Amino acid sequence: MKRTETVLIGVDGSPTSLHALDWAAAYAKRVGWGVHMICSYSLPSFTAASLDGGYAALDDSTIQAGAKAVLLDAQQRVASMGVEVTAAVATGDATGVLIELSKDYGLAVIGTRGKGGFTERLLGTVSSALPAHAHCPVVVVPYRDANASDPRRVDGDEIHAVRRIIVGVDGSPTAEAAIRLAIKQAQVWGAELVAVAGVPVATGAGVLAWLPTQVDHEQVLTDVKAGLDSIIDRAEAATDGGIKIKRIVLDGTGAELLTEFSTAADLLVVGSRGRGGFRGLLLGSTSQAVLHHSACPVLVVNRKSIG
């Protein structure tokens, strides 16, 4: 699948949307790509006539003018960073619009908790649905106040710089694709890369608490470590840039571990619907849980975006 070297991003004018836009622009500048912005809207079914039979004040021309104003401000913001930028207004459901457009782009970016923006509807459900159905990898950027204290931020460095990347691994095809993508990101940013596999084996603490008492829980962890090593060894051998990946296997669920690691990382990379694998434990519903709770941006690769 041929995709343009451009970052696709949905914007709605909210602080969350603009924060994600800044991340997208920082990435595009880093890799020499452009940015294409979409502001999507659809008229609610009740806007043609109000519930009491009168005509609603809101019409298509009013909303479209607002969308164009949002895009103009956003274009100026990105252009000031020295990044080539284009923009378009689209009609229709924001999720559907971005999923369809994602066929043609190398990366899609969306923000979370996008309340208070132009339509108050772009960034809520979109940030959950787009990563699962997009045709390209998707970065979901959680909103952080640029003035807030952030232990990952080093004086003099931009808040969107990526120094440490965590990739979740369970041995599934999407997890292996996530590793390859994480390696590319580590090369782009010059970042440290850590692979994490989780298996909840502690008695009473996780989904494997039902294991017979005679089962050696340490052996389970050892087996998972061997599976992780095998996958990472193959990934490292296929890497031109000589990236060395730190490996961590811990007792716990993938969602819990990755969410915890996100407080000390600048980017999480996960596969969506990663069933199968050497234990099938990490990436099934984990990607959705991580999206809701991660403290840092999350890069998601799904089956359709592999390749």
Side-chain angles (χ1 to χ4, degrees), residues 6 19 27 34 36 39 46 51 61 68 79 113 117 129 140 142-143 180 195 237 251:
T6 304
H19 185 72
Y27 177 81
H36 182 64
C39 188
F46 56 81
L51 297 180
S61 61
K68 289 179 178 178
R113 302 180 182 90
V140 179
Y143 178 68
R180 294 194 297 270
D251 181 353

Side-chain angles (χ1 to χ4, degrees), residues 195-256:
V196 176
V199 50
V201 297
T203 301
V207 297
L208 297 189
W210 47 265
L211 284 174
T213 55
Q214 64 268 26
V215 171
D216 187 340
H217 290 180
E218 289 299 320
Q219 186 60 49
V220 173
L221 290 173
T222 299
D223 290 345
V224 173
K225 178 63 164 58
L228 178 64
D229 284 341
S230 176
I231 293 170
I232 298 304
D233 287 345
R234 290 199 304 270
E236 287 183 342
T239 302
D240 296 332
I243 296 292
K244 291 298 180 182
I245 307 172
K246 183 177 181 181
R247 304 103 184 269
I248 298 177
V249 175
L250 293 173
D251 181 353
T253 68
E256 292 171 342

Side-chain angles (χ1 to χ4, degrees), residues 3-274:
R3 303 186 180 104
T4 62
E5 294 184 337
T6 304
V7 180
L8 172 69
I9 179 165
V11 296
D12 72 350
S14 67
T16 301
S17 170
L18 296 177
H19 185 72
L21 178 62
D22 289 345
W23 194 97
Y27 177 81
K29 186 172 184 177
R30 186 86 183 187
V31 297
W33 288 13
V35 170
H36 182 64
M37 302 182 303
I38 291 291
C39 188
S40 176
Y41 73 92
S42 58
L43 288 173
S45 60
F46 56 81
T47 57
S50 64
L51 297 180
D52 63 1
Y55 289 99
L58 193 62
D59 59 23
D60 182 80
S61 61
T62 301
I63 295 183
Q64 189 170 119
K68 289 179 178 178
V70 164
L71 287 177
L72 180 60
D73 289 343
Q75 279 183 284
Q76 294 172 345
R77 187 183 186 101
V78 174
S80 69
M81 299 175 65
V83 175
E84 182 177 344
V85 56
T86 57
V89 174
T91 57
D93 175 74
T95 302
V97 167
L98 289 171
I99 289 173
E100 182 64 24
L101 289 174
S102 69
K103 295 176 181 178
D104 300 322
Y105 291 87
L107 184 71
V109 177
I110 197 73
T112 59
R113 302 180 182 90
K115 298 180 179 179
F118 164 61
T119 61
E120 295 192 359
R121 63 185 307 276
L122 176 62
L123 301 178
T125 59
V126 179
S127 59
S128 294
L130 182 60
H133 301 289
H135 299 271
C136 69
V138 176
V139 176
V140 179
V141 182
Y143 178 68
R144 293 205 311 270
D145 186 340
N147 296 319
S149 175
D150 188 338
R152 290 164 296 185
R153 187 172 186 177
V154 179
D155 289 343
D157 286 351
E158 293 184 2
I159 195 170
H160 294 295
V162 176
R163 304 173 195 85
R164 180 179 294 116
I165 299 171
I166 307 293
V167 57
V169 184
D170 73 348
S172 66
T174 50
E176 294 209 40
I179 295 170
R180 294 194 297 270
L181 194 55
I183 290 173
K184 291 180 180 178
Q185 291 298 312
Q187 292 171 328
V188 164
W189 294 101
E192 173 190 13
L193 180 55
V194 181
V196 176
V199 50
V201 297
T203 301
V207 297
L208 297 189
W210 47 265
L211 284 174
T213 55
Q214 64 268 26
V215 171
D216 187 340
H217 290 180
E218 289 299 320
Q219 186 60 49
V220 173
L221 290 173
T222 299
D223 290 345
V224 173
K225 178 63 164 58
L228 178 64
D229 284 341
S230 176
I231 293 170
I232 298 304
D233 287 345
R234 290 199 304 270
E236 287 183 342
T239 302
D240 296 332
I243 296 292
K244 291 298 180 182
I245 307 172
K246 183 177 181 181
R247 304 103 184 269
I248 298 177
V249 175
L250 293 173
D251 181 353
T253 68
E256 292 171 342
L257 292 173
L258 291 176
T259 299
E260 182 176 350
F261 272 103
S262 75
T263 62
D266 302 297
L267 183 68
L268 293 184
V269 183
V270 298
S272 178
R273 306 184 190 281

